[in-house]
Amino acid sequence: MAQVLSKMASATLLKTSFLPKRSEWFPGQSSRASLQPHLMSATFTVHAGSYSDELIKTAKSVASPGRGILAMDESNATCGKRLASIGLENTEANRQAYRTLLVSVPGLGQYISGAILFEETLYQSTMDGKKMVDVLVEQNIMPGIKVDKGLVPLAGSNDESWCQGLDGLASRCAAYYQQGARFAKWRTVVSIPNGPSDLAVKEAAWGLARYAAIAQENGLVPIVEPEIMLDGDHGIERTFEVAQKVWAEVFFYMAENNVMYEGILLKPSMVTPGAECKEKATPEQVAEFTLKLLHRRIPPAVPGIMFLSGGQSEVEATLNLNAMNQGPSPWHVSFSYARALQNTCLKTWGGRPENVKAAQDALLQRAKSNSLAQLGKYTGEGESEEAKEGMFVKGYKY
């Protein structure tokens, strides 16, 4: 009998010792009061530290009419691949030269509201000695920072990945804020050909939610980016189905982590067929499926939807964005493009100082085209063949 009582006591201890008491779930309330719905709702608050007002202001500034984000946060390794494509060695000096070209485009702030930087760039100066951050701020462009530490294999999954970087994130965000960053970006991926498994979707959503909460607590507006990879021969309906599942999980876990929706930005993939699908989608079809996804999954409180371009060509990305802005929307529907802004610019530059102005003009043209698309006024007239080239490479990593 004593052994039975001992086992029962141990079981009770295991069930209760690691769980908070009901009074701890709802501080200051009795257990009876905590069960009453009208009192329960009053206890749930969204936490963004002392930065709530600033976060909302920052998010609205980035999501301002006719403007979007220049994503120039390529890691040094990825930047090296870009430089190699034009015959340049991957050195800090060459990375500095290219990034100087990007941030110093005259008039860029008219079309670009934010620039996502890699850590090296956040602390880097231009070729003439000015801080990159200061050059952006002078153009009314908000500096942002990539904070994730990249993708690694997800054990127990179907050859899928998860994104690392939560360890030490709070202290890093605080340091980035002191350096001048005002928003952050965390990218994880979901692969349709590999499932996606429930494990991979939940891991992606939870990581994004924890990152978002930590970023807000340290003054940075989090850009939430679960990228649905374009690899595969699936149709647009399958992409839509997976995207619905992913975004449902993301917002569930962001609510669990008390993320303030008014102080975030999203960076979703557009809903398109897989890159190897024989049936291509028109801009109107992409807009229809993508807007349907937004209306089903994204709360109106979110100020900005800053789409990634994925593997689309420069013109494809702009046409699709324009199609999505042909009617009213509760969100600022805009862009956060990397290659779809930089591709022609990089090739035009070619690493030659005498080509800097022509390269900057090419970037400014792409930024202006996407600004018009954000306003629903882009026509596509006068685009070069270079800008129409598709850039998808199977298994590419941004």
Side-chain angles (χ1 to χ4, degrees):
M1 183 66 179
Q3 287 183 331
V4 172
L5 290 174
S6 176
K7 288 181 179 179
M8 290 174 63
S10 298
T12 302
L13 179 63
L14 285 171
K15 288 180 181 178
T16 61
S17 60
F18 300 107
L19 294 176
K21 299 175 183 177
R22 242 180 225 289
S23 59
E24 292 173 343
W25 293 356
F26 306 100
Q29 294 186 12
S30 67
S31 297
R32 183 180 296 273
S34 70
L35 295 175
Q36 297 177 30
H38 68 283
L39 291 176
M40 252 172 64
S41 61
T43 65
F44 288 119
T45 55
V46 174
H47 302 286
S50 58
Y51 294 100
S52 296
D53 293 341
E54 183 182 351
L55 292 168
I56 294 171
K57 183 178 179 181
T58 297
K60 287 182 177 179
S61 176
V62 175
S64 53
R67 300 204 297 167
I69 295 173
L70 169 61
M72 49 179 289
D73 57 314
E74 300 91 347
S75 67
N76 289 347
T78 301
C79 190
K81 294 177 182 178
R82 304 276 174 90
L83 294 174
S85 72
I86 57 171
L88 287 186
E89 187 180 353
N90 186 15
T91 64
E92 183 177 356
N94 285 336
R95 294 194 299 270
Q96 180 188 33
Y98 181 54
R99 289 162 176 165
T100 296
L101 181 158
L102 295 176
V103 303
S104 59
V105 175
L108 188 63
Q110 184 178 350
Y111 311 117
I112 299 295
S113 55
I116 312 174
L117 310 178
F118 188 61
E119 187 175 61
E120 179 182 72
T121 316
L122 183 69
Y123 291 93
Q124 206 169 38
S125 296
T126 62
M127 299 292 285
D128 55 2
K130 297 184 69 174
K131 291 181 179 179
M132 297 269 189
V133 169
D134 292 343
V135 174
L136 290 169
V137 171
E138 287 171 6
Q139 292 229 58
N140 194 29
I141 298 174
M142 195 80 69
I145 178 70
K146 168 188 165 73
V147 299
D148 67 75
K149 293 295 184 178
L151 302 169
V152 292
L154 177 62
S157 72
N158 184 26
D159 195 26
E160 295 163 289
S161 301
W162 68 282
C163 188
Q164 57 188 345
L166 290 177
D167 289 349
L169 180 59
S171 59
R172 287 190 287 121
C173 285
Y176 297 149
Y177 182 92
Q178 290 298 318
Q179 185 62 18
R182 288 299 178 267
F183 67 95
K185 190 201 86 166
W186 179 288
R187 170 190 178 259
T188 191
V189 301
V190 173
S191 171
I192 293 179
N194 288 8
S197 68
D198 289 342
L199 174 64
V201 172
K202 290 182 184 297
E203 176 59 46
W206 177 256
L208 285 165
R210 288 304 305 140
Y211 139 75
I214 293 168
Q216 287 190 336
E217 289 284 351
N218 290 279
L220 302 180
V221 168
I223 291 182
V224 178
E225 181 184 356
E227 179 176 357
I228 313 295
M229 297 292 283
L230 286 180
D231 306 66
D233 59 3
H234 53 275
I236 195 169
E237 293 85 359
R238 175 59 178 157
T239 306
F240 177 75
E241 177 186 353
V242 171
Q244 282 195 104
K245 179 178 181 179
V246 170
W247 281 106
E249 293 284 334
V250 168
F251 274 97
F252 173 78
Y253 285 118
M254 281 201 291
E256 290 280 290
N257 282 274
N258 295 314
V259 174
M260 183 178 68
Y261 293 162
E262 297 92 328
I264 67 173
L265 296 167
L266 305 185
K267 187 170 179 176
S269 312
M270 296 179 191
V271 181
T272 65
E276 295 151 23
C277 180
K278 295 179 180 179
E279 296 181 15
K280 302 304 178 184
T282 65
E284 292 72 24
Q285 290 172 318
V286 171
E288 178 187 356
F289 277 91
T290 305
L291 290 173
K292 187 191 298 184
L293 170 69
L294 297 185
H295 283 285
R296 287 189 180 181
R297 289 292 182 263
I298 312 302
V302 175
I305 317 291
M306 321 300 285
F307 281 99
L308 60 91
S309 55
Q312 301 173 61
S313 74
E314 291 175 329
V315 169
E316 283 173 336
T318 308
L319 285 169
N320 289 339
L321 178 64
N322 185 70
M324 283 187 273
N325 281 293
Q326 294 306 301
S329 173
W331 316 276
H332 173 80
V333 177
S334 192
F335 60 94
S336 177
Y337 293 165
R339 296 193 206 190
L341 282 172
Q342 296 182 42
N343 193 55
T344 301
C345 168
L346 179 65
K347 291 184 177 180
T348 302
W349 176 48
R352 300 181 182 87
E354 64 270 22
N355 292 343
V356 166
K357 184 182 184 307
Q360 290 184 328
D361 288 345
L363 176 58
L364 194 65
Q365 176 57 45
R366 291 261 43 87
K368 182 179 180 180
S369 293
N370 286 293
S371 170
L372 289 170
Q374 197 288 310
L375 299 170
K377 299 178 179 179
Y378 174 73
T379 63
E381 293 180 4
E383 293 284 12
S384 67
E385 289 304 313
E386 187 83 51
K388 296 176 183 177
E389 286 184 10
M391 295 174 291
F392 182 82
V393 178
K394 181 175 172 61
Y396 95 99
K397 287 187 171 52
Y398 169 70

